[in-house]
Amino acid sequence: MQATYRDTDVNMPGTAAPLPAPGEGAPGHRLQGRRTECAALARLVASVRAGQSGVLVLRGDAGTGKTALLDDLVRCAAGCRIVRAAGAEPEKEMAFAGLHQLCAPFLDLLGCLPGPQRDALGIAFSLRDGDGPDEFTVGLGALSLLSEAAREGPLICVVDDAQWLDRASARALAFLARHLAVTPVGLVVAMRQAGGEQDLAGLPEVHVGALAHSDARALLDAVVIGPLDERIRDRIVAETGGNPQALLEWPGRLIPGELAGGFGLPGAVAPAGRIEKDFRQRFEDLPEPTRLLLVTAAAEQTGDPLVLWRAARQLGVEDGAAAPATTAGLIEFRGQVRFCHPLARAAIYWAASPQQRQRAHGALAAATDPAADPDRRAWHLGQAAPGLDEDAAAELECSAARARARAGLPAAAAFAERAAELTPDPARRARRALTAAQAKHQAGAPDAALRLLAMAQAGPLDEPGRARAGLLRAQLAAGDGRGRDVWLPLITAASRLGPLDAGLAREAYRDAFGAALTTGRLAAGNGMLQVAEAAREGHRAPESSQAVSLMLHALTVLMTEGHAAGATAMKQALSTFRNQEAMADDEFRWLPFACRMSRDAWDDEGWYVLSARLTGQARQAGALRVLPAALLEGVAARLAAGEFTMAASLSQEAEAVAAVTGNPLGPYGPLMLAAWEGRDAEAHQLIADATPGMVARGEGHWLTIAAWATAVLCNGLGRYDQALIAAGRGSEDPCELGPAIWSLAELVEAAARTGSPERAAGALRQLSEVASAAATDWALGIQARCRALVSDGEPAESLYLEAIRRLGRTRIRAELARAHLLYGEWLRRQNRRVDARVQLRVAHEMLTAMGAEGFAERARRELLATSETMRKRAISIGSELTAQEAEIARLAGDGYTNPQISTRLFISPRTVEWHLRKVFMKLGISSRKELRAALPVLQRVSLPA
């Protein structure tokens, strides 16, 4: 009987990476520090692949990462069939419910079993009538069924939350574990410490405990957005007890300022869950002095015992007040002050009365050394003030700038906000509220910014203040994305600011361009042209030393006079910007604009370098408004460079930032990744799910990116008729720049492949106008590739070679690989099979290393058509290297240190180290010295220079 595995995951050979180096994961990966556990799982998979059985029980408390380990096992078990089951508390009394999950995918094999076993399973699963089945026979039947299924290939059974399995299933599972013998079946069971011990006792077992302190710190660093104060990091690690789930979830409960420097209120809002209520009850049962001590400890975010006990003496709290709190299991005072659970701190702080919290903060202000830590003292003074207090407000205002340097924009915004709230003078209050609103806007807190802006506009502002307030309101409206003319208020603000503040006027025009580009084709008219005309009228001629002014002027020229004039101005502006000395705030505010202009100027080096600089600065400053867009710019740049793994990491970070700040973010990153990686169903589902909401928000730019991504996807999959339609939609409005221009190249390829020469020629004319004006290797390489597609004979070959030569001098490795692919396809059609194989092999190796599976499969099919015998990827370990790993391996083999490599590639030294470990594992080596011997392998699979 032929088995059908409808409900199992099948990891086919070559489609999944090997298990990671034991205990290692990508930066931000939840398997940080799980060396022993991963090694044990790797051994089990190897045993099953070799035709032997394997059993492993993972035991650990809730949140220690057992499910994460199982997920990683499933992801990495290449060549094995996977069947998963999980215990569920509501099914604990349903006999054989858990066993049914394991066996259900294979029930069509029941006919292969001996009669008694078939009947026992049929009764157990209610497939036939009969008396209660014998448990031994049921166990034998399940064993036979899984053994029969394993005839089709290695099988791994994964059972999670086994503590909730029904009793009958638990006993059957234990029977299976002890009788698998030499069957190629693996069984991995994850369960909490308590429960089921007698059934699974004596089986191979791994304890999944808390992370080591260094691993916990590294995991927390990976998931925290923005700067993280050392003392706050150590306190969170201590209070979570190294529990991975708590470390991953807890930062989302905190405001960024609280993470950065401890300048915030515990938990930001009063928690109200079951656990928190328990902590509140325990707190309320304590004596008054003990409660006051606990509130003070909760308000002191760093856990400094010296400061806490000095504050306690200010409050008249004796040392003995600590004992009831420790007895109640709420807090420990040994070394660093730490609560028993991160939620306990917030629960206790908010359980106290406002008067108790004010007293605690007042005592902490008095206990904090004004010379050693003036900012923390000012913060506590501000929280201690019961009403308006100019002295406290002035101290907070003075501390805001220092707080920004120390802990980023979120901390500065917190200081500025509290200063405004405490200010008694109406005019000063309005001015401070406006400053706070601007800081909140930069920190990615639009709701707080709007509230503070309303406070500012309610007070007496001078004319410059009113103009600044108008600009901020327009910026907030543009950020909200509602409406199809959101750039108009920005133009108005720019015109008003022109005579008052030229710098802010430029910012308004810059943001108007950004808003018009985002609105794109949904605008009532040509938004980019309208903004450019307004900027041409209102923006004074730039000074040669003002890079930001030159950039604004360059985009204005591009929109009003065309690419030939605009390209020259853009090159001059970008060169001035990149070579100018650091401009502090100006550079930070203008970096997103410079990144976008570099991309539109086809300046691949500038785009790559500036996007990396922008992301780094936004992270360091905690600029959560800018960071998602910076990360998405990095996603696009890394994809173009063929660094798909890094692009995926940046995309995930962008989504995490958007979730933390509550600001909407369309699935730009996931869509671009899915398109380049050839994931058809996922890409189309992303577009279908997101488009209605994006259109409602007025983000017409999404429609252009979706069309371009679809064209890339379909060209990769060889569906040229669909690519032609999508590329036509994507290139409808070249004023949208970026993907709209890139869509022209996709259109030329699709039109050439579908026999539409007129459409190909029209798109090529448009593309050539832009590329010739830009005159970079990137632009001219794409132009040559597209011209080759519509040419014949020797001119076509010359153009393909020019495209490869030019693109080979750029960072745009993905397009270089496609040039090799197209040239190879052309050579094969010229019956030059030997020459075609050379190009197609290079294309296949590059595209496979990147992860561009659609294009890689296209190259593989072409190679087969040349009578090439394709070897399995598993034969060449080096072919598993990603583009990023290959580049790092080459640099390390050339003698570069990790810090030097990190500087060249704009990644952290820790990321370099992580990639090198993966390289060592994949190449079967153990040190840098062995890399040189492996370099010939790398040269066969790496990206051409």
Side-chain angles (χ1 to χ4, degrees):
M1 180 183 293
Q2 178 64 41
T4 56
Y5 301 104
R6 292 179 295 274
D7 299 318
T8 58
D9 296 322
V10 182
N11 291 349
M12 297 305 296
T15 63
L19 280 170
E24 294 302 324
H29 196 279
R30 54 188 170 184
L31 300 190
Q32 174 75 39
R34 292 304 184 200
R35 181 179 302 274
T36 301
E37 296 87 340
C38 286
L41 290 169
R43 287 193 295 271
L44 180 139
V45 172
S47 176
V48 174
R49 284 175 179 156
Q52 303 297 313
S53 64
V55 176
L56 188 65
V57 178
L58 302 177
R59 289 189 190 270
D61 293 330
T64 51
K66 301 182 298 297
T67 300
L69 284 162
L70 296 182
D71 290 341
D72 202 60
L73 167 67
V74 170
R75 180 180 63 84
C76 299
C80 298
R81 288 184 171 86
I82 307 292
V83 59
R84 300 192 70 160
E89 192 170 8
E91 297 181 1
K92 195 168 175 62
E93 303 304 322
M94 299 180 184
F96 299 111
L99 185 65
H100 181 265
Q101 293 182 58
L102 279 183
C103 296
F106 313 119
L107 292 180
D108 52 356
L109 297 176
L110 282 176
C112 300
L113 305 188
Q117 296 177 22
R118 180 179 62 246
D119 294 343
L121 286 180
I123 295 170
F125 299 152
S126 298
L127 298 177
R128 54 167 296 171
D129 294 329
D131 297 331
D134 175 67
E135 287 191 0
F136 177 73
T137 309
V138 169
L140 281 176
L143 179 63
S144 299
L145 187 67
L146 295 180
S147 298
E148 190 67 31
R151 292 177 181 272
E152 299 295 324
L155 174 66
I156 295 180
C157 302
V158 176
V159 182
D160 201 0
D161 284 327
Q163 73 277 357
W164 300 124
L165 286 175
D166 60 278
R167 182 65 176 160
S169 292
R171 289 168 64 86
L173 198 66
F175 181 89
L176 284 173
R178 292 186 172 88
H179 293 82
L180 285 174
V182 294
T183 308
V185 176
L187 177 62
V188 182
V189 180
M191 62 191 308
R192 294 184 188 171
Q193 293 285 20
E197 286 83 351
Q198 71 181 62
D199 289 326
L200 299 175
L203 295 173
E205 187 172 296
V206 171
H207 172 68
V208 185
L211 292 176
H213 185 76
S214 59
D215 290 320
R217 284 169 57 97
L219 180 59
L220 187 60
D221 285 343
V223 298
V224 166
I225 300 163
L228 181 60
D229 184 272
E230 283 283 337
R231 293 173 294 179
I232 303 301
R233 178 195 289 111
D234 289 341
R235 192 261 294 168
I236 293 174
V237 167
E239 291 184 350
T240 57
N243 183 288
Q245 183 175 347
L247 286 164
L248 289 167
E249 294 178 351
W250 182 240
R253 296 174 176 267
L254 305 179
I255 61 174
E258 186 182 353
L259 284 171
F263 303 125
L265 304 178
V269 295
R274 178 180 58 82
I275 297 176
E276 295 91 331
K277 288 179 180 178
D278 175 64
F279 291 140
R280 288 172 66 102
Q281 184 61 54
R282 282 194 262 172
F283 168 75
E284 290 167 358
D285 290 340
L286 295 172
E288 172 61 25
T290 303
R291 291 203 301 269
L292 190 54
L293 178 64
L294 282 174
V295 174
T296 308
E300 208 299 294
Q301 297 274 13
T302 66
D304 187 333
L306 298 178
V307 173
L308 175 61
W309 287 111
R310 284 201 298 267
R313 294 187 188 96
Q314 290 280 338
L315 294 167
V317 174
E318 302 293 336
D319 293 352
T326 56
T327 301
L330 289 172
I331 195 169
E332 292 182 6
F333 293 96
R334 295 177 296 177
Q336 186 184 37
V337 177
R338 65 177 184 178
F339 283 84
C340 64
H341 191 283
L343 295 178
R345 178 182 294 272
I348 287 168
Y349 185 86
W350 292 106
S353 67
Q355 293 76 20
Q356 285 176 313
R357 294 196 292 268
Q358 288 164 8
R359 287 186 65 195
H361 281 291
L364 287 168
T368 301
D369 186 342
D373 201 346
D375 303 331
R376 199 169 303 281
R377 177 179 178 276
W379 175 257
H380 287 306
L381 279 175
Q383 298 304 316
L388 300 178
D389 188 327
E390 175 57 30
D391 289 339
E395 286 205 41
L396 286 164
E397 185 177 35
C398 290
S399 291
R402 292 193 300 267
R404 175 173 180 174
R406 169 181 176 179
L409 279 165
F415 274 82
E417 178 182 30
R418 188 58 179 158
E421 292 170 346
L422 295 177
T423 303
D425 178 71
R428 193 173 295 157
R429 179 184 179 89
R431 177 178 58 78
R432 286 172 175 165
L434 181 56
T435 299
Q438 291 172 317
K440 287 288 187 182
H441 173 52
Q442 288 293 322
D447 292 340
L450 274 172
R451 177 175 53 78
L452 288 161
L453 179 59
M455 182 192 301
Q457 291 183 313
L461 290 170
D462 56 17
E463 179 57 23
R466 288 193 292 273
R468 286 171 56 209
L471 171 59
L472 180 57
R473 187 167 291 281
Q475 289 171 328
L476 288 166
D480 184 54
R482 300 290 179 181
R484 303 188 176 188
D485 55 358
V486 291
W487 68 86
L488 291 177
L490 288 162
I491 293 176
T492 302
S495 176
R496 186 177 182 183
L497 281 163
L500 301 171
D501 190 323
L504 284 178
R506 283 194 294 269
E507 287 193 24
Y509 285 123
R510 177 203 66 201
D511 290 347
F513 272 123
L517 186 62
T518 299
T519 305
R521 64 188 63 196
L522 295 179
N526 190 325
M528 290 290 284
L529 183 59
Q530 291 182 48
V531 175
E533 290 173 344
R536 184 173 57 182
E537 293 296 324
H539 178 231
R540 293 195 297 270
E543 300 175 13
S544 59
S545 62
Q546 288 185 307
V548 296
S549 187
L550 286 169
M551 286 195 296
L552 186 62
H553 174 71
L555 188 55
T556 300
V557 171
L558 178 70
M559 288 292 108
T560 57
E561 300 179 28
H563 286 278
T568 301
M570 289 173 76
K571 287 180 182 178
Q572 179 189 358
L574 289 168
S575 176
T576 303
F577 184 86
R578 288 181 60 184
N579 295 326
Q580 187 168 290
E581 293 184 2
M583 298 178 293
D585 287 352
D586 272 350
E587 182 188 53
F588 179 72
R589 289 198 298 268
W590 283 85
L591 258 175
F593 193 68
C595 287
R596 184 172 284 178
M597 283 191 66
S598 295
R599 181 194 67 190
D600 295 333
W602 300 76
D603 176 6
D604 57 290
E605 185 68 21
W607 185 29
Y608 191 94
V609 171
L610 291 177
S611 66
R613 186 195 302 177
L614 171 61
T615 300
Q617 290 193 8
R619 284 195 189 110
Q620 185 177 7
L624 303 188
R625 181 185 70 86
V626 174
L627 185 53
L631 291 165
L632 289 180
E633 199 69 49
V635 170
R638 298 287 182 156
L639 282 172
E643 299 170 8
F644 289 13
T645 301
M646 184 59 67
S649 176
L650 294 174
S651 176
Q652 291 166 4
E653 186 179 352
E655 292 178 353
V657 175
V660 167
T661 60
N663 296 323
L665 179 70
Y668 292 97
L671 175 60
M672 289 188 286
L673 279 159
W676 272 108
E677 292 177 351
R679 290 182 273 119
D680 184 27
E682 181 179 343
H684 282 93
Q685 191 63 52
L686 285 168
I687 293 171
D689 291 345
T691 296
M694 301 295 275
V695 171
R697 282 179 44 79
E699 293 195 32
H701 189 50
W702 163 260
L703 299 176
T704 300
I705 289 180
W708 163 74
T710 302
V712 171
L713 171 73
C714 293
N715 272 333
L717 297 175
R719 298 207 296 258
Y720 301 111
D721 52 345
Q722 297 176 35
L724 183 66
I725 296 171
R729 290 199 304 266
S731 59
E732 285 177 357
D733 185 4
C735 285
E736 293 186 39
L737 305 176
I741 303 298
W742 300 342
S743 293
L744 292 170
E746 303 300 330
L747 181 55
V748 172
E749 181 172 341
R753 289 290 187 258
T754 55
S756 306
E758 291 183 0
R759 293 203 65 183
L764 179 58
R765 281 194 299 272
Q766 289 181 279
L767 178 65
S768 295
E769 178 186 353
V770 178
S772 297
T776 65
D777 278 324
W778 177 12
L780 295 177
I782 295 296
Q783 181 186 26
R785 195 182 76 188
C786 290
R787 288 176 60 198
L789 280 164
V790 297
S791 301
D792 295 312
E794 185 177 338
E797 182 163 21
S798 177
L799 287 166
Y800 278 125
L801 290 171
E802 178 188 350
I804 290 171
R805 185 174 64 253
R806 288 189 178 279
L807 291 171
R809 295 197 290 258
T810 74
R811 287 184 179 270
I812 310 301
R813 300 297 196 180
E815 299 295 355
L816 171 62
R818 291 179 65 180
H820 282 289
L821 172 59
L822 288 167
Y823 183 31
E825 289 174 334
W826 181 83
L827 287 168
R828 188 182 72 78
R829 285 159 179 75
Q830 301 300 309
N831 291 318
R832 294 166 55 183
R833 292 191 174 189
V834 174
D835 294 336
R837 287 174 194 150
V838 174
Q839 298 300 323
L840 292 171
R841 286 190 198 114
V842 172
H844 184 257
E845 289 173 349
M846 290 180 67
L847 293 163
T848 300
M850 293 174 193
E853 295 296 339
F855 286 103
E857 174 61 18
R858 187 171 132 190
R860 189 189 71 84
R861 290 196 303 267
E862 288 288 330
L863 273 169
L864 290 173
T866 67
S867 301
E868 171 86 332
T869 300
M870 295 294 291
R871 294 181 298 173
K872 293 182 179 180
R873 288 178 60 195
I875 293 175
S876 173
I877 298 175
S879 68
E880 295 289 348
L881 294 185
T882 66
Q884 181 90 335
E885 290 164 357
E887 183 69 16
I888 289 172
R890 278 197 300 270
L891 292 171
D894 289 340
Y896 287 92
T897 65
N898 285 6
Q900 289 171 332
I901 296 172
S902 72
T903 300
R904 288 174 67 91
L905 301 184
F906 299 95
I907 56 180
S908 72
R910 190 177 66 191
T911 301
V912 173
E913 182 181 359
W914 171 71
H915 279 302
L916 277 176
R917 287 200 184 103
K918 291 179 68 181
V919 168
F920 291 166
M921 178 193 69
K922 290 179 179 182
L923 296 181
I925 61 179
S926 59
S927 71
R928 287 172 179 259
K929 292 180 181 179
E930 298 176 77
L931 271 175
R932 285 198 173 276
L935 282 177
V937 176
L938 292 178
Q939 293 301 326
R940 290 199 299 272
V941 301
S942 60
L943 307 179

